[in-house]
Amino acid sequence: MVLARSEVAKPPVRGPGARGKAARTRSRRGSAVRLGLMAVPVAFFALFFAYPVVAIVGRGLKDGGVWQFGRIGEVLSRSDIQDVLWFTLWQALASTALTLLIALPGAYVFARFDFPGKQLLRAVVTVPFVLPTVVVGTAFLALLGRGGFLDDLWGVRLDTTVWATLLAHVFFNYAVVVRTVGGLWSQLDPRQEEAARVLGAGRFAAWRRVTLPALAPAVAAAGLMVFLFTFTSFGVVQILGGPGFSTLEVEIYRQTAQLLALPTAAVLTLVQFAAVGAILAVHAWTVRRRETALRLVDPAQTARRPRGAGQWALLASVLLTVLVLILLPLAILVERSLDLPGGHGLGYYRALASADANSGTFLVAPLEAIGNSLRYALVATAIALVVGGLAAAALTRRAGRLVRGFDALLMLPLGVSAVTVGFGFLITLDKPPLDLRTSWILVPLAQALVGVPFVVRTMLPVLRAVDGRLREAAAVLGASPLRAWREVDLPLVRRALLVAAGFAFAVSLGEFGATVFIARPDNPTLPVAVARLLGRSGDLNYGQAMALSTILMLVCAVSLLLLERIRTDRSGEF
């Protein structure tokens, strides 16, 4: 008997039970793979983040092995601590409101207008975000401080006022709003707002009823991120705030490094930890709303050249804002690094190569801090890529509360006190088998903690966009999970991996809060060297601080410009 082709090719029919068993097997296999991928990141964070933080809190709140939770009430009832908490809260709220007010017009311009030099300008406004906070503080000190640009021009000094801190925070976070809100704004279909206007709504009413509700999750997400960064501000307040202003992070540093008051520092760490956890929870909720509630279009369809005097005036005002708020402080920083007592020149840069000129500040020439920082940042980037890459792969498929909790854990280093982590390294990693207190690897480990969240946030959207059927096809053809990842995922995410490496390198290069505790005097990093120079009087120390800050700024700026050339996600989000 000859069978028809369809009969020969037809696979055996499987019942519902067989299909369900196969699905359960695939689910168990997927869960096992996910747990395996999570093992290294969980171990890394447990050992180098949770353990030092818990150790510091335990040192402060334990007495004779017994927890003394009454110390929490004692510390929080002190008037000086209440002043710190109040200042931390209101300056973060004021910084967030001011940043949104100034940056939202820029978000609109980048989203809806097409003009020459747009991509270069996008890179320029992002430079401050990857600059170390020490450099930001130094730039505004050169602009607003004693002997600064405004002091020389009009006799105005703002370096010991809250306005210097607020303006520096706007400078630092302008790109967060422009890229987060502008990225979504560029993908909103403008025809919806035009339809509302055809139906009789005015321009503002159409924007308020159609566009604003769609933008609300992005505005909330950007505002929460700005609030998080300003709530935990350290380097900017340390340099510009003066003795009268102290955020939680600065106070933790003072109580730990200067007063050795570990109980107070432990309580403040718990307060900051709780606040950051609440902020991240709200931020995750806003991101989920933004991901699921909108229909988006190609950004290329929405951008056009400005029309009419009003739009050209808006573009001009945004360009002026970028010039005054972002470019002017950086230009002043460069100018001050060249401003010698007898005229302009490279004297401060040449002095960086001399250990004799800095015998009271460094054991080595400050110029060696450049090599130290580059080496540390490269190692930290490699660690962040391994840990963050595994974490992103584990999070590729959305799962239950365990995975969501793991996702939140990865973001905590951005908000939890880096000062606490750095000091925790010193008191926990000093015994075998992890006696790393005198090892050079301690600095890259602390820097990698900050780099991992950027790696995860850069790679995760791209990994989730990879068609899972490609992996399944590779598995059917006999490829192991490792080979499937190498042959399918890696070619598709290679550019995202390079972008993640760039961000991790930039933030590692500028990490200050933890590094200030663990960097050895004979191996300072660039941010630590700048802080030490600013902490000593004299024109030579000040000029060298400006020179080192300029070098650090240029390295970060070059890294960012390279990132802009290899970006794959053109939505503009971080």
Side-chain angles (χ1 to χ4, degrees):
M1 179 181 295
V2 179
L3 297 178
R5 182 185 299 271
S6 61
E7 292 178 309
V8 174
K10 184 181 295 183
V13 178
R14 295 183 180 181
R19 289 195 297 269
K21 184 177 180 179
R24 288 192 296 271
T25 301
R26 287 195 300 270
S27 177
R28 285 195 295 268
R29 187 181 296 117
S31 298
V33 171
R34 181 181 289 112
L35 290 175
L37 293 171
M38 289 169 59
V40 171
V42 167
F44 178 79
F45 274 81
L47 187 59
F48 298 114
F49 178 68
Y51 179 38
V53 172
V54 171
I56 283 289
V57 173
R59 287 282 186 99
L61 297 183
K62 276 187 176 181
D63 188 4
V66 179
W67 288 96
Q68 304 292 331
F69 292 109
R71 290 178 178 174
I72 297 177
E74 295 174 4
V75 172
L76 296 181
S77 63
R78 288 166 43 184
S79 59
D80 59 328
I81 298 300
Q82 291 176 358
D83 291 341
V84 169
L85 293 173
W86 171 240
F87 175 74
T88 302
L89 177 62
W90 82 255
Q91 68 81 25
L93 290 171
S95 296
T96 302
L98 193 60
T99 302
L100 289 174
L101 179 66
I102 294 175
L104 282 176
Y108 175 80
V109 165
F110 279 101
R112 295 303 198 202
F113 292 169
D114 186 18
F115 53 91
K118 179 178 177 179
Q119 295 304 320
L120 177 61
L121 192 63
R122 185 194 298 274
V124 168
V125 301
T126 312
V127 166
F129 183 75
V130 298
L131 285 181
T133 55
V134 171
V135 173
V136 175
T138 306
F140 274 81
L141 190 66
L143 178 64
L144 306 174
R146 179 179 60 85
F149 178 75
L150 292 185
D151 191 16
D152 290 344
L153 194 61
W154 294 308
V156 176
R157 284 187 56 190
L158 300 174
D159 56 320
T160 56
T161 70
V162 72
W163 283 106
T165 299
L166 296 181
L167 290 174
H169 283 162
V170 175
F171 168 90
F172 191 75
N173 294 292
Y174 184 88
V176 175
V177 178
V178 167
R179 296 180 72 104
T180 302
V181 180
L184 179 61
W185 212 334
S186 66
Q187 294 178 280
L188 294 181
D189 192 345
R191 292 174 296 184
Q192 297 177 351
E193 187 174 324
E194 293 169 1
R197 296 190 63 191
V198 169
L199 293 174
R203 182 184 297 273
F204 177 74
W207 180 84
R208 180 172 56 85
R209 294 177 181 176
V210 177
T211 304
L212 182 58
L215 286 177
V219 174
L224 284 167
M225 291 306 295
V226 173
F227 183 85
L228 173 64
F229 292 137
T230 54
F231 187 84
T232 58
S233 183
F234 177 57
V236 168
V237 179
Q238 179 83 344
I239 293 174
L240 297 175
F245 301 106
S246 180
T247 58
L248 267 173
E249 187 83 357
V250 174
E251 189 64 20
I252 290 172
Y253 173 77
R254 192 175 75 91
Q255 296 289 338
T256 303
Q258 299 177 7
L259 304 180
L260 295 179
L262 290 186
T264 302
V267 171
L268 296 181
T269 296
L270 289 176
V271 171
Q272 184 166 313
F273 187 84
V276 168
I279 295 169
L280 291 178
V282 176
H283 178 263
W285 176 74
T286 61
V287 169
R288 284 197 297 271
R289 280 192 60 193
R290 182 176 53 178
E291 288 179 344
T292 59
L294 299 175
R295 293 182 180 179
L296 306 177
V297 298
D298 185 353
Q301 301 176 8
T302 64
R304 53 179 173 75
R305 293 184 64 82
R307 302 173 185 171
Q311 292 188 355
W312 281 107
L314 177 61
L315 175 59
S317 67
V318 169
L319 294 177
L320 182 62
T321 299
V322 172
L323 176 64
V324 174
L325 180 66
I326 294 177
L327 294 180
L328 180 60
L330 299 180
I332 295 299
L333 174 65
V334 176
E335 189 273 334
R336 293 298 173 181
S337 72
L338 301 171
D339 187 16
L340 299 171
H344 288 77
L346 299 175
Y348 293 136
Y349 289 90
R350 286 192 289 268
L352 294 175
S354 172
D356 296 334
N358 298 273
S359 57
T361 309
F362 297 98
L363 300 179
V364 295
L367 199 62
E368 292 191 18
I370 300 174
N372 295 335
S373 288
L374 293 175
R375 287 192 295 270
Y376 288 148
L378 287 173
V379 176
T381 299
I383 296 172
L385 286 177
V386 173
V387 176
L390 291 173
L395 293 168
T396 299
R397 294 181 179 178
R398 291 180 175 86
R401 294 181 179 178
L402 176 64
V403 175
R404 289 199 298 269
F406 175 61
D407 192 8
L409 169 69
L410 298 173
M411 292 291 290
L412 284 178
L414 291 181
V416 174
S417 172
V419 171
T420 300
V421 174
F423 192 65
F425 272 28
L426 293 182
I427 67 172
T428 56
L429 305 179
D430 61 344
K431 298 176 182 178
L434 283 175
D435 188 3
L436 303 177
R437 190 167 183 172
T438 59
S439 173
W440 64 271
I441 196 65
L442 209 58
V443 174
L445 287 171
Q447 294 174 343
L449 282 171
V450 184
V452 167
F454 287 91
V455 174
V456 174
R457 287 292 161 259
T458 302
M459 295 189 63
L460 188 56
V462 181
L463 285 172
R464 282 180 173 167
V466 176
D467 192 342
R469 291 174 295 184
L470 296 175
R471 300 188 190 99
E472 294 173 0
V476 169
L477 294 174
S480 65
L482 178 61
R483 184 177 179 183
W485 179 85
R486 187 177 67 248
E487 301 291 340
V488 176
D489 291 67
L490 184 59
L492 296 174
V493 302
R494 185 178 290 114
R495 284 191 173 183
L497 191 65
L498 292 174
V499 173
F503 271 122
F505 179 79
V507 298
S508 298
L509 197 66
E511 204 286 323
F512 176 61
T515 308
V516 72
F517 273 97
I518 57 182
R520 291 160 48 185
D522 58 339
N523 284 293
T525 64
L526 275 171
V528 172
V530 171
R532 288 181 185 173
L533 287 167
L534 288 175
R536 299 182 66 88
S537 60
D539 291 339
L540 179 61
N541 289 318
Y542 178 82
Q544 289 181 100
M546 297 295 164
L548 273 181
S549 296
T550 300
I551 293 172
L552 189 50
M553 176 194 70
L554 291 176
V555 173
C556 291
V558 169
S559 300
L560 183 63
L561 290 174
L562 291 176
L563 292 184
E564 282 293 316
R565 295 183 62 88
I566 60 176
R567 285 174 61 238
T568 57
D569 178 13
R570 303 188 66 84
S571 67
E573 295 184 11
F574 286 108

